[in-house]
Amino acid sequence: MGSGNELCSQEFDLDAKWLVDPKQIFVGPRIGEGAHGKVHKGKYKDQNVAIKIIRKGEAPEEIAKTEARFAREVAMLSKVQHKNLAKFIGACKEPIMVIVTELLSGGTLRKYLLSIRPRCLDFSEAVGFALDIARAMDCLHSHGIIHRDLKPENLILTADHKTVKLADFGLAREESVTEMMTAETGTYRWMAPELYSTVTLRNGEKKHYNHKVDVYSFGIVFWEIIQNKLPFEGMSNLQAAYAAAFKLVVGATV
């Protein structure tokens, strides 16, 4: 596999210390999958890592969007470092687009919550998790970054299940009051109403919003951590979006 290091450096303005050599990447079993790629357990050099392989698409416009998203994610991962953010190790673009981060073996917060149902977390444990998430979000926001997809599937636990780290910057964007950003971004059940239209949910609609969309998502995640229930239970993701937008759900439900 060719390294593609020169291309990475030119397109992403990435410091050489973040460029990984694809010849030293070993891709193991798949441990997760999202809308834009698959995550595998693997090794880089002698280190156990998580390897995100980006799905490129076939149409020229899809390829262009994927490359732009990849460039943003790599740029932001290299920009922020925090104990509650999955540690960024490096990236390369050729022969495939790959992002390498630390491997967290405790699984997702979603999986952990499901494993203890119907029991709820101890209150101190729940607050500890919430503080970890809040610190991660505070770090991002202090750097002008909006995550836009805060949910239990993107929160990963350490092996001892004591610490939560935020992962997956695939939908993250730099915050700018002058920029129009894409609506309908994220996952409806945890998505702030301002991310979609209250009249229609047209994909690709442009709207103004800021880091407060992450604050809304944090509130939904915190409720879920305390209650150990799925938000808007019994509703589809789309129904949950309409319920939040039109305030059809009473406080006892969410």
Side-chain angles (χ1 to χ4, degrees), residues 220-236:
I220 299 294
V221 171
F222 187 37
W223 180 92
E224 189 172 358
I225 290 172
I226 295 293
Q227 299 290 331
N228 199 6
K229 294 179 181 178
L230 184 69
F232 303 98
E233 198 156 23
M235 296 184 184
S236 69

Side-chain angles (χ1 to χ4, degrees), residues 3-235:
S3 69
N5 285 354
E6 183 179 351
L7 184 58
C8 283
S9 178
Q10 291 174 350
E11 290 194 17
F12 307 135
D13 193 26
L14 190 62
D15 190 289
K17 69 180 180 179
W18 299 121
L19 298 173
V20 298
D21 181 358
K23 294 178 181 178
Q24 299 194 61
I25 295 175
F26 171 78
V27 180
R30 189 174 67 194
I31 56 176
E33 183 170 0
H36 307 297
K38 299 177 181 179
V39 181
H40 293 254
K41 180 179 180 180
K43 277 186 176 290
Y44 178 60
K45 298 181 178 178
D46 294 324
Q47 182 179 359
N48 292 325
V49 296
I51 302 166
K52 182 178 180 180
I53 301 175
I54 310 299
R55 187 180 296 112
K56 202 166 190 177
E58 296 181 2
E61 61 272 18
E62 289 180 359
I63 294 173
K65 286 181 180 179
T66 300
E67 290 181 345
R69 188 185 302 114
F70 173 71
R72 282 198 307 269
E73 184 170 5
V74 169
M76 282 182 276
L77 282 168
S78 63
K79 182 178 179 181
V80 292
Q81 299 289 307
H82 189 273
K83 66 178 183 178
N84 293 117
L85 297 174
K87 183 180 178 182
F88 177 58
I89 294 171
C92 67
K93 184 180 177 182
E94 298 294 343
I96 55 176
M97 291 183 286
V98 169
I99 294 173
V100 182
T101 60
E102 69 173 314
L103 180 67
L104 297 165
S105 57
T108 66
L109 179 59
R110 157 73 60 238
K111 183 178 179 181
Y112 183 60
L113 290 173
L114 286 172
S115 74
I116 67 170
R117 281 185 184 172
R119 183 175 70 82
C120 291
L121 296 172
D122 294 336
F123 186 72
S124 60
E125 185 180 13
V127 170
F129 284 173
L131 286 172
D132 284 346
I133 299 166
R135 292 183 186 108
M137 299 312 301
D138 181 62
C139 175
L140 292 186
H141 293 167
S142 69
H143 285 83
I145 295 172
I146 312 173
H147 189 272
R148 302 200 303 177
D149 199 21
L150 181 61
K151 59 184 178 180
E153 285 84 351
N154 288 336
L155 295 162
I156 316 297
L157 295 172
T158 53
D160 59 6
H161 291 159
K162 299 294 185 184
T163 302
V164 175
K165 297 193 180 191
L166 178 63
D168 199 338
F169 283 42
L171 292 179
R173 291 293 296 272
E174 289 189 305
E175 184 175 12
S176 170
V177 295
T178 61
E179 182 182 10
M180 295 293 280
M181 290 182 282
T182 304
E184 202 179 338
T185 297
T187 308
Y188 285 143
R189 202 171 295 272
W190 295 270
M191 191 192 302
E194 56 263 45
L195 278 171
Y196 47 80
S197 170
T198 57
V199 177
T200 180
L201 298 177
R202 290 192 300 271
N203 188 29
E205 180 183 351
K206 303 293 184 179
K207 302 192 74 174
H208 279 297
Y209 52 83
N210 57 28
H211 67 278
K212 293 179 182 179
V213 299
D214 285 340
V215 177
Y216 175 94
S217 299
F218 172 80
I220 299 294
V221 171
F222 187 37
W223 180 92
E224 189 172 358
I225 290 172
I226 295 293
Q227 299 290 331
N228 199 6
K229 294 179 181 178
L230 184 69
F232 303 98
E233 198 156 23
M235 296 184 184

